[in-house]
């Protein structure tokens, strides 16, 4: 892939010396746009236990069943051989039928972006990060915490675009100042005109989904056939754990599958609340629900692109408050990875924090959750930057400080060269005992690109740091995001496409837009 | 080991319901005093490259040599067959001699504590954490950053004692208000009377070391033979990279080996400064120096307990400032783990942060460095809690917030049960679709102990957190450490031993104490 050779590190650019400027052919080049996960998988259960969990999940589907609220989904399940009770809305699944349908899902697929170097290679082994998503609030140090607005949504589109290590959009924040029947037009406008990354579409009923698909076709310049030929967007479907699939969620699985677009089936299962209190129990329930959802996509459209999704953490048993970045969250992620590999499907996981501001707790929990995902071998880590209060708020500053960590992880994923040149006996021989390597030949050849260069982490000594105003990392992050929001040039979109976008939105708004369905 | 059954979690105790109080025989019991590392090893170089690095390190020792400043050490090396030039003080080592001597070092040993449940099982596969050490400054939110005092040293002894997940002492902070010729008496008094964990002894010349050994014998009630029979303390020896071993460091290796006490040979190699700029090059130099130091211990006393040590990170190439918790630090730790396993020796690594306060940067860097150690398979992680400014300051609050992370890691190291009871088909069957598990039987049986219970992480929602004063994690940590310092009861030491301790110190002080040697 030629894109692997292209230095694209924002941190490097900020520092005013790109990877290409290093001398001697020793420039380390890390491509944040395409990351392969080199870490070994952490396994928390034995293979026998894993098979038992899978078998128990199938038994949950056959003996206990899932309540499916959408008539069309029940009809599809019935057509595939499931037993459906139209009084109770319960669907009972034959295990073989589930496994056969899940087996139809592709092991890998590519989601296409506006810029092909930002295409997503979705399979086990690749590593994708998303900013925190779906928050009703936004916060930053200058304006404080408030209900999110369209202005926040657009600012966060710019920030998502700015960092190569954020590979695709999440739902970011809810622009609460835009009425819900036209909100999706502004969500698509922000994602499609301020960025060339893969956009997210909410599954809030077929009319909104159809509108959003049309807007993607307009901006990307796609015919209906072009669009249907491969995924250009994705949605996340949360089951209503335990054992329930609601109307808009089931509809989204069907709509996305039939349109050839990607869906992620993610039971959001908090241990002790919507799921059993044990890691193994919660993941058994989550696995059952994910299998049912994935099966639905394949019944609706065999071969439809779909990801296995999990988001299992625990609650505080004293208050019921959700917690993230805990040992239980980490273990559930690792177990989910074992289950995903058992299926062979790409899978999404999530980090996150329950902290109320971007402090040490927030940083610790987010990184802990992230390592659970990375060591679990997740394809996609959602909520990897900026997510506070268990998803109720996205913080501008935390987005920046978390991106710093994600960039370091991307550097860790980069090959460590250890050939003759790097081992460098001659370099060691060049420096006398007790001397220093600052001026050594090997140092001079490599000093511009050998090390990760931080964006907000400050290594100045206490005196210098104090003279500069004693700013903590969050305060320093303000400067970073404000500069991006103020100065970023959006990717070029042909004028006629922008006009067509506006015309479509005007017409549909005139027609009443598309209120969310429930 | 019966100790594995004993619940010893401070966080649990604070929360007023110990693991033993849970009903139904389902209590999860995590013993923070004895941790095995269940994580797979992250490898950054191939086996071929690893062997090449080892071979190059031996070539550094044979062709380039090490400058050894202590005559006795040169004499020992000569006696073992090394070539010594008494004009340049350079020692050149035959590779076979180095390997044969390193092979004499034990693969595992036990360091004995005052309380046997705190004994240290030192070998590959176990996981030990230490607080940050050797800092000239201390800081906390109420008193600010200042030169450390004896009061700080003693407070930090109490904090080290308070948390089971801190397995042994580091050097903590320098009590700068105590003159250097008697400072080691107060350091031993703090460690030995405020704690029953394994103490640290500085290698600052034979007189101080002899004094410290005597004080350990007094407090532990040991004869000379008892003491010599197994390790009761340890020291850390830093080589003066590149390729130099100074007088007190070499003396400490000899003194500790002959007394049967443990030493850790740790080249402190900052890439681009005291070591080559590449990960592979810096680790080649570090490996060479560690091999020479370990060989010295085995020449002085075959079978002496010794750990392979590494502390390799990078500097900021613009300012020369040290950095920690970087991708390069992480990769060096992982490579060090490969080298340690090649030797089969227990090894120490270190996390840490260059941040100037306990902010998001400090938390991110410290956890990143910690994962480098844990995924590298380190036996001992030094500077795992409280270390700021690259070791110039220990923060009371950061010690607490870092311990929170270490406790979560300890929980992750605990077996994840996934038998019939945990998978729990019946528990899933008990809850209706769309219902909740708060009152389920399985939940009621396990809710008191199933989840990690945080010490400073706050999962309250934004409204509740605001009502409580909007304190960040660092502010909340103040309350935790102040309570421990104010209320902790030190372990009991027989009165006659305390009297003997005082008498020894009085006599030696009268004699002039023991100034540090250099």
């Amino acid at each position: 892939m030629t894109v692997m050779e292209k230095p694209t590190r924002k941190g490097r650019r900020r520092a005013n010396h790109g990877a290409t400027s290093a001398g001697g052919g020793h420039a380390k080049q890390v491509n944040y746009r395409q990351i392969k996960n080199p870490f070994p998988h952490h396994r928390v259960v034995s293979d026998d236990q894993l098979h038992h969990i899978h078998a128990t999940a199938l038994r949950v589907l056959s003996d206990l069943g899932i309540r499916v609220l959408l008539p069309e989904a029940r009809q599809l399940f019935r057509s595939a051989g499931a037993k459906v009770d139209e009084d109770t809305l319960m669907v009972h699944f034959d295990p073989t039928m589930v496994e056969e349908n899940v087996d139809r899902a592709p092991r890998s697929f590519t989601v296409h972006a506006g810029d092909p170097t930002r295409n997503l290679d979705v399979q086990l082994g690749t590593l994708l990060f998303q900013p925190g998503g779906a928050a009703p609030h936004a916060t930053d140090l200058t304006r404080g915490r408030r209900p999110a607005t369209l202005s926040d949504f657009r600012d966060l589109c710019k920030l998502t675009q700015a960092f190569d290590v954020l590979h695709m959009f999440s739902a970011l924040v809810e622009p609460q100042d835009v009425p819900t029947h036209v909100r999706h037009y502004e969500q698509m406008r922000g994602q499609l005109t301020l960025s060339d990354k893969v956009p997210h579409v909410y599954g809030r009923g077929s009319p909104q989904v159809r509108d959003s698909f049309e807007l993607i076709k307009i901006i990307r310049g796609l015919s209906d056939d072009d669009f249907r030929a491969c995924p250009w967007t994705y949605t996340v479907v949360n089951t209503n754990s335990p054992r329930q699939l609601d109307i808009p969620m089931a509809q989204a699985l069907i709509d996305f599958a039939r349109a050839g677009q990607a869906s992620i089936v993610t039971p959001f299962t908090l241990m002790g609340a919507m799921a059993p209190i044990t890691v193994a129990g919660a993941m058994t329930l989550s696995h059952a629900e994910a299998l049912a959802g994935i099966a639905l996509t394949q019944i609706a459209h065999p071969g439809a692109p779909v990801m296995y999704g999990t988001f299992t953490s625990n609650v505080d048993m004293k208050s019921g408050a959700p917690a993230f970045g805990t040992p239980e969250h980490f273990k559930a992620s690792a177990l989910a990875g074992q289950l995903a590999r058992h299926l062979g499907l790409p899978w999404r996981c999530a980090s996150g924090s329950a902290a109320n501001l971007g402090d040490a707790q927030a940083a610790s929990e987010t990184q802990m959750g992230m390592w659970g995902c990375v060591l679990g071998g997740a394809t996609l880590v959602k909520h990897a930057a900026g997510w506070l209060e268990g998803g109720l708020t996205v913080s501008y500053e935390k987005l920046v400080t978390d991106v710093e960590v994600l960039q370091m992880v991307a550097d860790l994923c980069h090959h460590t060269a250890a050939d003759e040149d790097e081992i460098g006996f001659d370099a060691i021989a060049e420096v006398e005992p007790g001397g220093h390597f600052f001026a050594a030949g090997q140092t001079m050849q490599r000093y511009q690109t050998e090390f990760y260069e931080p964006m907000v982490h400050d290594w100045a000594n206490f005196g210098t740091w104090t003279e500069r105003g004693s700013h903590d990392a969050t305060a320093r992050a303000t400067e970073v995001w404000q500069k991006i929001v103020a100065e970023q040039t959006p990717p070029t979109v042909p004028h006629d496409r922008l006009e067509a976008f506006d015309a479509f939105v005007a017409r549909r708004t005139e027609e009443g837009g598309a209120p969310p369905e429930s």
Side-chain angles (χ1 to χ4, degrees), chain A:
Chain A
M1 289 173 81
T2 55
V3 69
M4 295 295 289
E5 303 307 316
K6 193 171 166 185
T8 54
R9 202 147 104 183
K10 292 290 170 182
R12 289 275 156 86
R13 284 189 196 153
R14 278 186 68 250
N16 209 22
H17 57 76
T20 47
S21 68
H26 295 290
K28 191 178 76 168
Q29 298 177 336
V30 182
N31 177 15
Y32 287 174
R33 297 189 188 195
Q34 307 287 339
I35 308 177
K36 294 280 179 190
N37 182 345
F39 289 96
H41 299 135
H42 178 53
R43 300 165 74 253
V44 293
V45 304
S46 69
D47 285 344
D48 280 353
Q49 290 171 325
L50 188 73
H51 290 134
H52 192 187
I53 289 170
H54 179 69
T56 306
L58 290 172
R59 193 176 151 214
V60 166
L61 292 176
S62 65
D63 294 7
L64 305 179
I66 301 276
R67 183 186 286 156
V68 178
L69 304 188
L70 181 73
E72 184 183 6
R74 292 197 300 278
Q75 170 52 33
L76 282 167
F77 280 132
R78 186 187 298 110
S79 73
K83 285 185 201 147
V84 177
D85 182 328
E86 286 292 336
D87 292 330
T88 61
L89 313 182
M90 293 301 292
V91 179
H92 293 258
F93 302 76
D94 174 65
T96 306
M97 179 275 268
V98 172
E99 292 195 314
E100 282 176 358
N101 276 292
V102 170
D103 273 349
R104 293 193 173 99
R107 274 24 183 181
S108 71
F109 54 88
T110 300
V111 187
H112 291 252
D115 174 348
T117 68
R118 299 194 189 278
N119 286 354
L120 307 175
D121 174 27
V122 180
Q123 58 177 309
L124 291 172
T126 57
L127 184 54
L128 303 167
F129 294 115
Q130 273 188 14
H137 296 93
T139 192
D140 65 72
L141 283 192
T142 50
R143 293 169 293 182
R145 180 181 184 269
R146 71 272 177 183
T149 63
L150 180 59
S151 172
D152 289 317
F153 183 84
R154 293 178 61 86
D155 286 352
L156 292 167
C157 284
K158 291 182 187 177
L159 294 175
T160 302
Q161 173 70 5
F163 300 110
D164 282 344
V165 81
L166 299 178
H167 297 101
M168 59 197 294
F169 276 92
S170 71
L172 300 175
V173 290
E174 280 298 307
Q176 296 197 49
D177 52 345
V178 182
T180 55
H181 67 292
V182 294
R183 190 178 290 172
H184 60 295
Y185 302 131
E186 293 310 316
Q187 288 166 319
M188 297 316 295
R189 191 195 303 274
Q191 295 181 87
L192 292 169
T193 65
L194 298 173
S195 170
D196 49 22
K197 296 186 180 181
V198 169
H200 164 266
V201 169
Y202 266 120
R204 289 175 170 167
S206 297
Q208 281 200 5
V209 168
R210 275 195 303 269
D211 280 349
S212 301
F213 287 175
E214 288 306 312
L215 292 172
I216 293 169
K217 291 178 206 169
I218 288 170
I219 294 294
R220 299 285 189 245
L222 303 171
S223 69
D224 289 352
D225 286 346
D226 291 340
F227 182 72
R228 205 170 293 267
C230 61
W232 295 86
T233 185
Y234 81 102
T235 196
V236 176
V237 163
N238 293 134
T239 51
N240 309 98
S241 304
R243 297 192 289 121
Q244 185 161 287
L245 186 59
D246 73 17
I247 289 173
M249 294 288 95
Q251 192 66 60
L253 288 174
I254 296 168
D255 290 345
F256 274 70
R258 288 183 174 157
Q261 304 306 305
S263 54
I264 307 177
V265 184
T266 308
F268 180 39
T269 46
L270 290 169
M271 295 174 233
M274 306 94 98
I277 194 167
T278 61
V279 169
M283 279 310 306
T284 300
L285 176 66
S286 174
H287 190 60
E289 296 177 1
L291 290 173
I294 292 168
L296 180 58
T297 64
Q298 302 306 308
I299 296 167
H301 188 70
V306 63
M307 292 178 80
Y308 180 80
T310 60
F311 194 1
T312 299
S313 190
N314 59 297
V315 297
D316 179 350
M317 290 311 297
K318 292 198 293 290
S319 67
F324 301 93
T326 62
E328 290 73 30
H329 178 191
F330 187 117
K331 286 183 168 192
S333 300
L335 175 50
Q338 291 185 257
L339 289 163
R341 287 190 295 281
H342 177 71
L343 302 177
L345 294 183
W347 72 290
R348 84 140 239 188
C349 199
S351 57
S353 170
N356 288 291
L357 80 171
D359 63 351
Q361 173 186 347
S364 293
E365 288 181 340
T366 304
Q367 189 178 154
M368 185 66 74
M370 185 275 298
W371 280 112
C373 300
V374 169
L375 295 176
T379 307
L380 165 61
V381 184
K382 277 187 75 85
H383 309 314
W387 215 62
L388 284 176
E389 300 177 42
L392 296 180
T393 296
V394 167
S395 156
Y396 285 60
E397 285 90 8
K398 183 163 167 57
L399 190 142
V400 173
T401 55
D402 287 341
V403 162
E404 183 90 280
V405 173
L406 299 181
Q407 291 184 164
M408 292 202 286
V409 171
D411 261 55
L412 289 177
C413 292
H414 185 69
H415 170 68
T416 306
D419 295 330
E420 199 74 42
D421 264 0
E422 285 78 24
I423 295 175
F425 177 85
D426 294 343
I428 295 173
E430 190 182 333
V431 177
E432 288 298 297
H436 66 76
F437 286 78
F438 284 119
Q442 191 193 43
T443 307
M444 297 308 290
Q445 281 181 330
R446 293 169 180 264
Y447 76 96
Q448 287 189 310
T449 58
E450 194 67 14
F451 301 146
Y452 173 74
E453 193 167 309
M455 190 166 55
V456 284
H457 285 188
D458 184 352
W459 301 333
N461 65 35
F462 191 82
T464 303
W465 173 77
T466 305
E467 283 166 21
R468 289 178 188 161
S470 306
H471 298 305
D472 69 12
T474 299
R476 296 191 302 268
T478 300
E479 193 186 334
V480 174
W481 74 254
Q482 286 183 337
K483 189 174 163 67
I484 292 168
V485 166
E487 297 179 7
Q488 187 171 79
T489 307
T492 306
V493 181
H495 191 66
D496 59 327
R497 294 184 191 175
L498 292 173
E499 283 185 339
F501 187 103
D502 288 342
F504 180 92
V505 170
R507 176 174 65 79
R508 290 287 298 129
T509 302
E510 181 80 12
E511 292 166 3
E517 299 184 345
S518 60

